[in-house]
Each structure stands twice: as structure tokens, then as C-alpha cells.
Amino acid sequence: CAPPEKLGTPYNRAGMQNALRLRVNEIFHSIQGESTRAGVRCVFVRLTGCHLRCTWCDTTYAFTAGEWMSVDDILARVRTFGCPTVEVTGGEPLLQPAAYPLLSHLADEFPTVLLETSGAVTIERVDPRVVRIVDVKCPGSGEAERNHWPNIDLLTPRDEVKFVLLDRADYDWAKDVLRRYDLTARCPVVFSPVHDCLAPAALAEWVVTDRLNVRLGLQLQKLIWGPQARGV
């Protein structure tokens, strides 16, 4: 995989500026499995590359594999599905500079554009029409020190925050973050258990007992097609 500073940069041929390119791992049409829009039809554009190595990561195949595509080619492919909702995800999509114009072009054409980001990169340059789904990495991920906390001040009511929880310690840590930053007053918050590690019933009980104003998020794609399926 090319280093982040070289990903998505424009190139010239015969003195003419050609389209921006991004390295794309996959583009597919499926059902949104996560976030507050779980269950809706969605086109996913998964970009290659990530600078984090979360212990529970289920998309390690996106670290390096992918093909170079122009923004125009990506848009053309997305249009073929006739779907009003599009999500740009990764990996960490914001490592590629051309992700920003891609998001803007998508927002020009599609009613709902989502960005799934690790929360370890600033979201300040993202087009305001895009719904930013920002992870907050818990200690169980092994990457909690990489959280870019200034992102919280940039959140709007149309954005979302997601905590992926490995165990009770992660839950208690996330609950403290909710309190310190008054997150539920800023935007919707989703608590999602790591598949096959934290029982959804246990997490549901904790949320109800503590009367948290968060959503319990399960990965529908894993429940429907199994945890190993790709392109869903």
C-alpha cells in the first residue's frame, strides 16, 4: 500500500490534470448493518489502508488490498445500484486525501452520505453534508491512546459516535467518556459489542440498569450472512 501522503494524489499526463484517484478495496450493495441506519439499503465504498491495529478488527483485508480508481469511476459504479444511501468506510478512509472530494461529489448526488471513521483522524475537513460516524476507541481495542479528542467539539446532532466494547471494563470506560463529554447531548451514541466476545444480552442489561441514553448496536451483516462473509 502506498504511504498515506501519496494516496489519492492527482497526476498529470500530457500537461492535463486527470481525475483524482483512490485505492479502493471494494464497492458493494448491501444492507447497512451498523449505526442508527441499520437495516436500510446502502452502497459501501471501502477504501484501502489503516494506521490502527485494533485487537478485534474484522476488516484486516482492507489494510493493503485494493485497486486504484478515479473519483469519476467510483461515482459511476455507485450510480449503478440506484441506492439513495452511500457509505465511505475503510480501513481509515480519511488517510487518503482524495476521500474529501469523493465525499463532496457523493453528497452532490445522493440524499444520504455516511462516513465511517476510526476517530483517530480529524473530521474538520469533511463536507458538512456528510453524516460522520466517529468511533471512540476503547482500551480493549489496544488503540485508545490514538483517539483524536478534538473531534468531539466538531460533532453536530446529525453525526454519530460509536463505541465498540470488548468487555465490562470497556463499558465502564465508555460510560465515563459519555459523562465527561456529555456526548448524548451532542449526537446519537451507539454501543456495539465485539462479536462473539461480549454477549449482547449482558450489554443490554448494563445499559438498561444504568439508564443510558444510547442505542445498542448489533452487526446485522454478521447475524444475516455470518461473521466471515465479505462484500455484505
Side-chain angles (χ1 to χ4, degrees):
C1 180
E5 65 272 14
K6 293 185 179 180
L7 285 170
T9 54
Y11 63 97
N12 290 280
R13 181 177 297 164
M16 297 181 65
Q17 183 76 20
N18 287 324
L20 290 168
R21 298 194 306 162
L22 299 100
R23 197 167 186 190
V24 179
N25 180 265
E26 57 185 349
I27 299 176
F28 60 95
H29 182 211
S30 186
I31 297 296
Q32 175 62 258
E34 304 176 33
S35 84
T36 62
R37 290 170 175 78
V40 305
R41 202 161 53 89
C42 184
V43 175
F44 295 86
V45 179
R46 187 183 304 283
L47 301 184
T48 299
C50 188
H51 59 316
L52 303 185
R53 293 296 182 267
C54 297
T55 57
W56 38 253
C57 181
D58 57 3
T59 52
T60 56
Y61 58 86
F63 288 168
T64 57
E67 63 174 309
W68 290 98
M69 297 179 67
S70 70
V71 169
D72 287 343
D73 288 342
I74 295 170
L75 291 170
R77 179 70 184 282
V78 172
R79 291 185 196 111
T80 64
F81 298 109
C83 183
T85 302
V86 182
E87 177 174 299
V88 177
T89 184
E92 172 47 67
L94 296 183
L95 291 181
Q96 300 198 43
Y100 298 99
L102 171 63
L103 288 164
S104 293
H105 284 300
L106 288 168
D108 288 340
E109 295 191 34
F110 299 92
T112 303
V113 178
L114 313 174
L115 167 71
E116 178 89 26
T117 176
S118 66
V121 179
T122 181
I123 59 173
E124 62 183 345
R125 291 177 52 202
V126 176
D127 192 302
R129 296 172 295 174
V130 174
V131 177
R132 301 169 299 188
I133 304 171
V134 181
D135 279 16
V136 174
K137 299 301 183 187
C138 299
S141 72
E143 296 285 10
E145 297 301 319
R146 306 291 289 276
N147 286 313
H148 185 71
W149 295 107
N151 278 339
I152 291 178
D153 290 330
L154 302 175
L155 294 169
T156 70
R158 67 195 311 272
D159 297 318
E160 300 182 19
V161 168
K162 182 177 72 174
F163 292 83
V164 178
L165 309 173
L166 183 66
D167 50 26
R168 177 72 198 209
D170 273 2
Y171 172 81
D172 289 335
W173 183 89
K175 188 170 64 170
D176 182 62
V177 172
L178 285 184
R179 178 188 56 79
R180 285 190 288 119
Y181 291 96
D182 197 17
L183 271 181
T184 55
R186 294 176 181 268
C187 65
V189 176
V190 178
F191 276 18
S192 181
V194 176
H195 188 76
D196 283 342
C197 289
L198 174 58
L203 179 54
E205 182 179 352
W206 301 339
V207 168
V208 171
T209 298
D210 291 334
R211 300 182 180 182
L212 299 186
N213 293 323
V214 302
R215 294 177 184 237
L216 175 63
L218 303 181
Q219 294 176 294
L220 290 185
Q221 71 274 21
K222 293 184 178 179
L223 298 177
I224 297 170
W225 292 288
Q228 304 305 319
R230 290 174 53 173
V232 295

